[in-house]
Amino acid sequence: MHLSTWMPFERAATELAHFTRVEVSDTSVRRHTEAAGAAYVAVQTAELERLERERPLGPHGPDVLQVSADGAMVPLVGGEWAEVKTVAIGRVEVVPDRDGGAQAHARDLGYFSRLADAATFTREAWVELHSAGIARSKTVCGVMDGADWEQTFLDVHRPDAVRILDFPHAVEYLTRAAQSTWCVDAAKADAWVEQQAHSLKHDEHGAATVLKALAHLPVDQATDRRTAYQARDTALNYLTKRLNQIQYAAFQAQGFPIGSGSVESANKLVVEARLKGSGMHWARAHVNALVALRTIACADRWAEAWPHIERHLRDHARQVRARRQRQRRAPQLPACPTTVSAPGKASRAPRIVPPDRSPRTMNGRPTAHHPWRKRPLLAGGRRAIAAQPKS
């Protein structure tokens, strides 16, 4: 099961046979892996229900905790695609960068992934967020892109979280506006984007400066003026609406992260690396089982989670055996008669003649019920009938 969490089921069966000399079909590998994943989903669901029932305060978290959520598309059976949502949670640590400055990065990452709608995912992710100490962390930084469900996610779990728009995501809007304006002069567009990105990231008033530069883009000189106007206005409206989330210089000064690379890496590591292989198509009911195992494998928490999975599998097997035993011990009802009596006539039960149970031998000698006593053989080999009257 651990092997098939990292590689296709056929390859896992091959590797198992190579190292252990035990041959297992890929169908068996798939079945046991999906059963283990379903068991872990059940374990997490039971813990979620306990949290909702008891509402515990939770463990202490780090001084700064980063929470980033995103989604990745996976192929399903029948040509359908569906989004697996993932949240990455990690302790923020400030480390020196190559330029002599400092950068904040998330460490000790944990993951939670589900193929679910936004409301269901927001509810079920509390299991991982609770264990990470989200309720008792001093500061929670929600580094997200601009999806509405991600902001609602923070509203539910930490309304006071510091909202930070993913920096590369903001630069993407600047890039589209610049390329639409200088579509025939890529060098000029790249230079403009580089200048604005540097100002946005490092200048104290960089957000206001960039928005002003964005508003004054020479879209009238664009080859396709309509597209240029649309790209410029989209970027301007998007970033203006999130002005408080793009104060990157202030965020970095406080030791906060400004990029959601942790969850973007999780999309590739946890979800896509295993579920988007060549020719793979998944039944919707089996996706969550596999991504649940992927979250603990990619976070190096397999040894921690496996005892809970194993206990659940054994309890389930014990319940199945007990149910089968009860079914075997249940009294069997007599079979219904197959013949139907004629109208107006009472049906008569067939007469049952009990077999003769009298002993035929006793102490090695034949009794009166023995066939020899009933039909004795006389001397000379002639058979006579006992007690027959003489003529």
Side-chain angles (χ1 to χ4, degrees), residues 52-304:
E52 292 177 334
R53 183 173 60 252
E54 301 177 3
R55 295 287 173 176
L57 185 58
H60 285 282
D63 291 341
V64 182
L65 184 72
Q66 178 176 345
V67 177
S68 297
D70 201 2
M73 304 301 291
V74 297
L76 302 182
V77 174
E80 184 184 359
W81 288 78
E83 184 183 46
V84 173
K85 296 178 176 63
T86 298
V87 59
I89 312 104
R91 171 183 57 85
V92 174
E93 179 182 343
V94 179
V95 296
D97 59 14
R98 290 177 295 181
D99 299 330
Q103 250 184 347
H105 293 279
R107 307 296 189 195
D108 304 326
L109 288 169
Y111 309 106
F112 183 87
S113 298
R114 285 292 187 274
L115 173 57
D117 58 79
T120 302
F121 177 78
T122 299
R123 171 179 173 264
E124 295 180 350
W126 188 21
V127 172
E128 186 63 32
L129 294 169
H130 174 81
S131 64
I134 189 172
R136 304 181 71 179
S137 296
K138 292 182 179 180
T139 303
V140 173
C141 295
V143 188
M144 312 276 192
D145 60 28
D148 291 337
W149 74 266
E150 297 170 0
Q151 299 304 315
T152 304
F153 184 92
L154 292 175
D155 291 338
V156 171
H157 294 293
R158 262 307 276 266
D160 63 337
V162 179
R163 317 292 175 105
I164 303 173
L165 183 66
D166 175 49
F167 179 73
H169 185 71
V171 174
E172 286 180 9
Y173 277 85
L174 299 177
T175 303
R176 282 197 289 268
Q179 290 177 346
S180 298
T181 302
W182 293 294
C183 55
V184 296
D185 193 348
K188 194 169 185 178
D190 293 343
W192 185 88
V193 170
E194 183 178 355
Q195 178 186 359
Q196 304 308 318
H198 184 274
S199 178
L200 184 62
K201 184 175 182 179
H202 298 288
D203 294 350
E204 181 180 357
H205 303 289
T209 302
V210 169
L211 291 177
K212 184 177 180 179
L214 187 60
H216 289 85
L217 270 177
V219 291
D220 291 335
Q221 304 173 16
T223 304
D224 187 345
R225 296 175 58 186
R226 181 178 179 180
T227 302
Y229 269 104
Q230 185 177 4
R232 191 272 312 270
D233 292 344
T234 299
L236 191 60
N237 293 334
Y238 185 87
L239 297 177
T240 301
K241 182 180 178 180
R242 296 162 176 81
L243 182 61
N244 293 332
Q245 301 179 26
I246 60 175
Q247 305 297 324
Y248 297 114
F251 294 147
Q252 292 181 97
Q254 298 176 76
F256 297 161
I258 62 172
S260 61
S262 58
V263 72
E264 292 174 5
S265 298
N267 282 336
K268 296 180 176 66
L269 177 66
V270 176
V271 180
E272 296 178 349
R274 180 63 182 88
L275 277 76
K276 291 185 72 173
S278 177
M280 290 185 179
H281 295 86
W282 301 88
R284 181 179 289 271
H286 297 158
V287 172
N288 283 339
L290 189 55
V291 296
L293 293 180
R294 290 285 295 176
T295 58
I296 57 175
C298 295
D300 293 328
R301 288 166 50 186
W302 189 275
E304 173 189 340

